[in-house]
Amino acid sequence: MSETPAKAAAAANRISPDEFRRRVQMIEAEVGNVIVGQRELIRQVVVTLMAGGNALLEGVPGLAKTTLVRTLADVIDCGFSRIQFTPDLMPADIIGTTLISEDEQGRKTFRFEPGPIFANLVLADEINRATPKTQSALLEAMQERTVSVAKTIHKLAPPFFVLATQNPLEMEGTYPLPEAQLDRFFFKVNVPFPTTAELVEIAQRTTGERQPTIRHVTSGAMIVEMQDLARTVPIASHVLAYAARVISATHPETREASSVTKQYVRYGASPRGMQALILAGKILALLDGRYNVSFADLKLAALPALRHRVVLNFEAQAEGVSPDEVVKGVLEALKEE
């Protein structure tokens, strides 16, 4: 009798699909003990982590973006570092620099001093406040998981996850991220303002005498195993074809382009967008107790995976059309086949 795909995956990995789902639920529950509400935000950040990607969070100050990443690092029990991006920040302040050191015998040697990028979870706070030269220092780390300094390539220890934040309101003194760098982010997550009831709960948790306690529920090594398991989830050929048609439909020059795409889009999502759709779909399927990707999984992942990969034209900007509206229009126009 042949093994089912779920059993085969469980044999190939030390973690099973059921254990994967249980661990994620534990992570979300522990983070939820500190972060009030924001369930969708927490889920999308955890999905990004399980996919081995990076997340860009956009929201006004004070919505616990920094607290979220710090709490996540505590729950996973791995290294955390925070980089405050400012106009005077230099690339060496992020990746590190080579120093001249002297030993006891007086011999001088070059020694590399790692920067804050050498951590498991890195918070790039207000990333759009640094110059493009400094922003680009993150590109190699985000894409290749390596840092090159003076012809030497330094590997970053897994898991590696960059969570960058930016303020959508205050644009003075900022440097918008170019499309090529935005494409490196697996998800772009919009952080909503809390409801009145959530504001009351935030005040009770943060101004009272007792502070929430966090316990470690997993490790960095376990996260790597969970990332490996997520990639083993199968996807049917017709579901894969649907993901490809979604990406094509965001390009105005293609046959699949919807009317909203032709009217408002200058350039559509890249192949990285399809990779994000599929990987996120696999993780969402596991979290739903299934070992196969459905159309619903892809639709659920479409907004955070594609909103930052769709470049709008001047007409869209003039009429106040958002990338989310374009992506929703694409999903509504496409049939599931």
Side-chain angles (χ1 to χ4, degrees), residues 238 241-242 245-246 295 299 330-337:
H238 66 287
Y242 174 79
R245 287 191 292 117
V246 169
F295 292 115
K299 290 179 178 180
V330 166
L331 295 177
E332 291 172 0
L334 278 180
K335 296 181 179 180
E336 301 176 2
E337 297 176 356

Side-chain angles (χ1 to χ4, degrees), residues 48 62 164:
T48 304

